[in-house]
C-alpha cells in the first residue's frame, strides 16, 4: 500500500498561513484583544496558551513506543551516526546559518538556534513512510530523541546561545537565555506531555490492547497537535496587527536559512550513510530524523522564556510553514535516490 500524506498534513503550510492571517486580522480590527489575552494570565504564564502548548506536544509523544528503546543500541555504529547528525551536525549547521543570515538581528538568530536544537519527534514518521524508510527504525530514533531531548535541550541552549556567541566575538549578540527558565520550560512543555504520553501508552495498551491503541486512540488524538498549533499561531499573530506590513519580508528572511538547513541536513545525512553502506530504508530513517525539527518545543520554549510577542516565537511559527513543502520535495528526491541505489 502506498503511503500518502494526509489532507491536513499536505496543506499544513496553507493552514498556518490562514491562521496567521486570522490572527493579524483580529489584532488589526480588534486591538483590545491583547488586553483580553493578558487577563487569562497567571504571573508570566498565559493559561490558555500553556494548555495549548502542552496539548500540541502530547499526541506525538503518545505515539512513541518507548519499549523499543533497548533495541536502539544493537546497531551501535548507526545509532552513533544518528546521534552525531542530530546533536552535533544539526545544531552546529543551524548556528552557522543563523550567524551568516541573521547576525544583525539577534532575536531572530536566537529563534533559529532554538529550532536547530529541537530534534524532530512528530512528522518524521510521515516523511519516513512516504520515502519508503524503515518504520520500526524511525520509531526507535524518535524514542531516543524524545528522551535525549528532555535531558540535553537546556544544556545545548546554554552552549549555543550563552557561550558560543561570546567565544566567537559576536559583539552584537547580547542575548542570553536563563538556563533555569529553559529547563523549567522543557520540563513543563515536554516533560508533562512526555509523562502523559508514556502513561497513556502503558495503561491503555494494558487495558485495551495495542491494536486498539494504534488504530483507534492515536488517530483520535492526532489532530489535537494541529488544532493546538493553529490556536497558538492565531493568538500570537493577533498581537501583531500593527506589524502587518513588516511580516512578509521577515518571513522570507527567516525562510532562506531554514530551506538551506533542510536541504543540507538531508543530503549530508544521506551521503554519510551511503558511504557507510547503510541500506536505503535505514538510511532514509536516519536522514529524515536528522533533517526535521521539533517546532512545537521551539515555540513553547520561545514563548515561555521570551514571551508570546517575541521575535523568537515568531521564528518558531515560520518553521513548519517552510518545513512541509521543502520536505515533500526531499521525499521525492529520496525516492529518486532509491532508484540509484538499485542500480549500484
Amino acid at each position: 500500500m502506498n503511503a500518502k500524506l494526509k489532507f491536513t498534513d499536505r496543506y499544513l503550510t496553507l493552514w498556518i498561513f490562514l491562521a496567521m492571517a486570522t490572527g493579524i486580522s483580529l489584532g488589526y480590527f480588534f486591538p483590545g484583544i491583547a488586553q483580553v489575552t493578558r487577563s487569562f494570565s497567571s504571573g508570566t504564564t498565559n493559561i490558555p496558551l500553556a494548555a495549548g502548548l502542552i496539548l500540541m506536544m502530547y499526541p506525538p509523544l503518545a505515539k512513541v513506543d518507548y519499549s523499543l528503546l533497548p533495541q536502539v543500541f544493537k546497531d551501535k555504529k548507526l545509532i552513533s551516526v544518528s546521534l552525531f547528525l542530530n546533536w552535533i551536525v544539526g545544531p552546529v549547521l543551524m548556528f552557522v546559518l543563523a550567524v551568516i543570515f541573521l547576525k544583525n538581528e539577534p532575536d531572530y538568530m536566537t529563534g533559529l538556534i532554538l529550532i536547530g536544537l529541537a530534534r524532530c519527534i512528530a512528522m518524521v514518521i510521515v516523511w519516513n513512510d512516504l520515502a519508503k524508510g524503515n518504520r520500526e527504525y524511525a520509531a526507535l530514533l524518535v524514542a531516543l530523541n524524545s528522551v535525549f531531548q528532555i535531558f540535553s535541550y537546556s544544556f545545548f541552549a546554554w552552549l549555543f546561545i550563552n557561550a558560543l556567541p561570546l567565544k566567537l566575538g559576536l559583539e552584537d549578540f547580547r542575548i542570553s537565555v536563563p538556563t533555569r527558565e529553559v529547563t523549567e520550560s522543557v520540563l513543563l512543555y515536554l516533560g508533562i506531555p512526555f509523562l502523559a504520553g508514556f502513561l497513556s501508552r502503558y495503561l491503555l495498551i494494558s487495558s485495551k490492547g495495542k491494536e486498539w491503541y494504534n488504530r483507534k486512540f492515536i488517530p483520535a488524538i492526532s489532530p489535537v497537535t494541529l488544532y493546538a498549533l493553529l490556536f497558538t499561531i492565531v493568538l500570537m499573530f493577533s498581537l501583531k496587527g500593527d506589524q502587518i506590513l513588516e511580516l512578509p519580508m521577515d518571513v522570507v528572511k527567516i525562510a532562506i536559512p531554514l530551506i538551506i538547513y533542510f536541504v543540507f541536513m538531508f543530503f549530508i545525512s544521506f551521503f554519510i550513510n551511503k558511504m557507510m553502506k547503510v541500506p536505503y530504508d535505514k538510511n532514509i530513517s536516519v536522514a529524515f530524523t536528522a533533517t526535521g525539527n521539533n517546532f512545537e518545543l521551539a515555540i513553547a520554549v520561545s514563548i515561555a522564556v521570551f514571551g508570546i510577542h517575541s521575535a523568537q516565537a515568531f521564528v518558531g511559527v515560520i518553521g513548519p510553514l517552510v518545513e512541509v513543502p521543502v520536505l515533500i520535495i526531499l521525499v521525492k528526491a529520496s525516492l529518486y535516490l532509491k532508484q540509484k541505489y538499485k542500480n549500484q
Side-chain angles (χ1 to χ4, degrees):
M1 182 176 67
N2 292 329
K4 290 184 179 179
L5 201 60
K6 290 181 180 176
F7 178 79
T8 51
D9 293 331
R10 181 178 294 277
Y11 294 101
L12 179 59
T13 297
L14 174 62
W15 310 142
I16 293 172
F17 266 125
L18 290 175
M20 289 166 66
T22 301
I24 290 169
S25 299
L26 286 172
Y28 188 79
F29 293 108
F30 304 98
I33 197 167
Q35 187 174 350
V36 175
T37 300
R38 282 193 288 271
S39 69
F40 290 98
S41 296
S42 175
T44 58
T45 304
N46 181 271
I47 296 170
L49 185 62
L53 291 169
I54 290 171
L55 285 171
M56 185 166 62
M57 294 295 296
Y58 169 66
L61 288 163
K63 294 176 185 178
V64 177
D65 187 351
Y66 300 99
S67 66
L68 296 173
L69 275 174
Q71 299 178 35
V72 167
F73 302 100
K74 289 181 179 179
D75 191 342
K76 291 184 175 61
K77 184 172 73 172
L78 202 55
I79 288 302
S80 298
V81 172
S82 179
L83 288 172
F84 172 71
L85 290 166
N86 272 284
W87 297 101
I88 296 178
V89 177
V92 169
L93 176 59
M94 191 71 92
F95 178 83
V96 170
L97 291 169
V99 171
I100 292 171
F101 287 93
L102 299 169
K103 181 181 176 181
N104 297 323
E105 300 190 60
D107 291 330
Y108 284 165
M109 179 176 160
T110 305
L112 207 64
I113 293 169
L114 288 173
I115 290 174
L117 303 179
R119 312 317 299 166
C120 191
I121 61 171
M123 287 290 285
V124 66
I125 300 294
V126 175
W127 308 126
N128 178 78
D129 286 355
L130 289 170
K132 315 296 184 189
N134 186 313
R135 175 175 263 229
E136 184 181 64
Y137 207 76
L140 288 172
L141 297 176
V142 167
L144 181 63
N145 276 343
S146 301
V147 175
F148 203 87
Q149 212 152 200
I150 291 174
F151 297 103
S152 67
Y153 193 86
S154 301
F155 168 74
F156 275 84
W158 169 84
L159 177 64
F160 282 92
I161 297 174
N162 293 5
L164 271 181
L166 290 176
K167 289 287 184 184
L168 295 174
L170 299 175
E171 291 84 2
D172 294 334
F173 190 85
R174 303 190 182 281
I175 293 176
S176 64
V177 291
T179 305
R180 180 177 175 180
E181 286 188 27
V182 175
T183 303
E184 289 173 354
S185 301
V186 171
L187 291 176
L188 177 64
Y189 296 114
L190 185 58
I192 289 176
F194 175 88
L195 182 61
F198 178 84
L199 291 175
S200 296
R201 173 170 283 275
Y202 177 77
L203 296 173
L204 290 175
I205 287 179
S206 297
S207 61
K208 295 281 193 175
K210 193 168 186 176
E211 186 169 346
W212 178 89
Y213 185 85
N214 289 329
R215 292 185 177 274
K216 297 289 185 180
F217 182 71
I218 291 299
I221 65 168
S222 289
V224 172
T225 294
L226 176 61
Y227 301 149
L229 173 63
L230 296 180
F231 167 75
T232 302
I233 292 170
V234 169
L235 194 57
M236 284 175 58
F237 280 82
S238 68
L239 305 173
K240 292 182 177 288
D242 58 334
Q243 302 173 26
I244 187 167
L245 296 177
E246 300 173 19
L247 293 175
M249 284 311 300
D250 285 358
V251 170
V252 173
K253 199 182 298 182
I254 295 160
I256 291 170
L258 280 171
I259 292 169
I260 295 171
Y261 172 84
F262 293 135
V263 173
F264 271 55
M265 276 305 296
F266 177 79
F267 287 107
I268 288 169
S269 304
F270 186 90
F271 286 109
I272 284 177
N273 287 314
K274 185 176 182 298
M275 285 189 293
M276 295 174 61
K277 302 189 184 303
V278 175
Y280 171 85
D281 64 335
K282 287 188 176 182
N283 185 341
I284 283 300
S285 299
V286 173
F288 277 111
T289 305
T291 302
N293 291 88
N294 183 355
F295 293 103
E296 296 90 347
L297 178 61
I299 292 169
V301 171
S302 295
I303 289 174
V305 176
F306 298 103
I308 191 172
H309 306 266
S310 69
Q312 290 87 349
F314 175 67
V315 174
V317 169
I318 302 308
L321 187 73
V322 177
E323 183 188 44
V324 174
V326 175
L327 265 69
I328 287 174
I329 293 170
L330 290 175
V331 165
K332 295 182 184 300
S334 65
L335 293 172
Y336 167 77
L337 291 169
K338 182 183 181 185
Q339 294 302 314
K340 294 204 72 170
Y341 249 102
K342 286 182 179 178
N343 299 327
Q344 292 175 359

